[in-house]
Amino acid sequence: GAVVSQHPSRVICKSGTSVKIECRSLDFQATTMFWYRQFPKQSLMLMATSNEGSKATYEQGVEKDKFLINHASLTLSTLTVTSAHPEDSSFYICSAPQTGRHEQYFGPGTRLTVT
Amino acid sequence: GIQVEQSPPDLILQEGANSTLRCNFSDSVNNLQWFHQNPWGQLINLFYIPSGTKQNGRLSATTVATERYSLLYISSSQTTDSGVYFCAGGGGADGLTFGKGTHLIIQP
């Protein structure tokens, strides 16, 4: 149980375009999901908290207009990287705890390359 | 926010050896987790351990919440144990703060 999926696993896009990444909890409901970013050979950094039915909250230094988050249902959160630039190239990972519990389960990640 | 420090940053061992990885955190946490990141980037949940001791096969973990540290033990290491181990802590319903990881290499 507690499986989180992400789609796509890998995406290449041109500079200036937008890319949407989906995060799904497959066998549990998640009122909250989290988005992280990991640069090569570095640790994971929390970007934002996605809340079902309300606005996302962003960590300091993360541009909310660039990284649009929508949590439309109890099993789906999406992250849209708008007007992508090469410096946005990174590994994006989502996580979700089961509602009412603290342990977080992570998706397999999405590797974004902006050319 | 909390700070999470992991040690050692790198560890090279021979197959069959035992190892101890440490995680110190700057403040109380309600959520403390250990992960193994595989070569494809997937984070594998090892332990959810805000306090106490747990064991799972050759792996065990202990968190002393009052002293704000956690230890991950790997016994009888195998080459498949190689990779990056992260600990991460948080306030419970919050996102996790990750340490910088321990890069473990097990040599045959």
Side-chain angles (χ1 to χ4, degrees):
Chain A
V3 178
V4 177
S5 71
Q6 277 185 246
H7 177 79
S9 58
R10 186 180 296 266
V11 58
I12 301 172
C13 70
K14 292 187 183 298
S15 189
T17 61
S18 296
V19 173
K20 181 185 286 188
I21 302 169
E22 293 185 347
C23 176
R24 293 182 185 274
S25 56
L26 297 186
D27 52 359
F28 66 99
Q29 295 184 332
T31 54
T32 301
M33 292 182 174
F34 301 97
W35 288 95
Y36 299 81
R37 181 167 54 182
Q38 184 179 31
F39 291 108
K41 299 193 184 303
Q42 294 189 23
S43 186
L44 282 78
M45 295 293 292
L46 178 66
M47 298 175 64
T49 301
S50 172
N51 303 296
E52 188 268 337
S54 64
K55 289 184 179 180
T57 55
Y58 293 81
E59 296 300 301
Q60 190 171 6
V62 177
E63 301 174 55
K64 62 179 179 17
D65 294 330
K66 180 166 189 62
F67 298 99
L68 299 180
I69 290 173
N70 184 273
H71 196 145
S73 77
L74 288 172
T75 59
L76 174 64
S77 174
T78 60
L79 170 69
T80 301
V81 183
T82 63
S83 187
H85 291 285
E87 56 266 31
D88 298 323
S89 298
S90 188
F91 192 54
Y92 292 87
I93 312 173
C94 69
S95 76
Q98 293 174 296
T99 300
R101 302 179 67 174
H102 294 163
E103 183 176 6
Q104 293 189 23
Y105 298 89
F106 283 75
T110 296
R111 196 164 302 279
L112 170 64
T113 302
V114 184
T115 60
Chain B
I2 69 164
Q3 310 292 320
V4 179
E5 291 186 4
Q6 286 188 247
S7 61
D10 300 283
L11 187 58
I12 302 174
L13 297 171
Q14 293 296 121
E15 202 167 21
N18 302 328
S19 59
T20 301
L21 283 57
R22 186 177 178 102
C23 175
N24 293 332
F25 36 99
S26 61
D27 204 346
S28 315
V29 293
N30 293 320
N31 182 356
L32 193 287
Q33 293 184 242
W34 283 96
F35 301 93
H36 178 204
Q37 188 167 38
N38 70 19
W40 297 273
Q42 172 79 62
L43 284 172
I44 309 298
N45 285 39
L46 297 178
F47 294 102
Y48 167 72
I49 188 165
S51 64
T53 296
K54 291 185 178 180
Q55 180 159 5
N56 184 3
R58 295 183 296 105
L59 274 60
S60 63
T62 294
T63 297
V64 183
T66 53
E67 297 187 23
R68 300 200 293 265
Y69 74 88
S70 184
L71 301 173
L72 176 69
Y73 305 98
I74 305 174
S75 64
S76 303
S77 300
Q78 300 175 358
T79 55
T80 51
D81 294 332
S82 296
V84 183
Y85 289 80
F86 288 106
C87 77
D94 303 332
L96 294 173
T97 299
F98 280 73
K100 292 186 177 181
T102 292
H103 188 194
L104 176 65
I105 297 174
I106 305 298
Q107 296 178 332

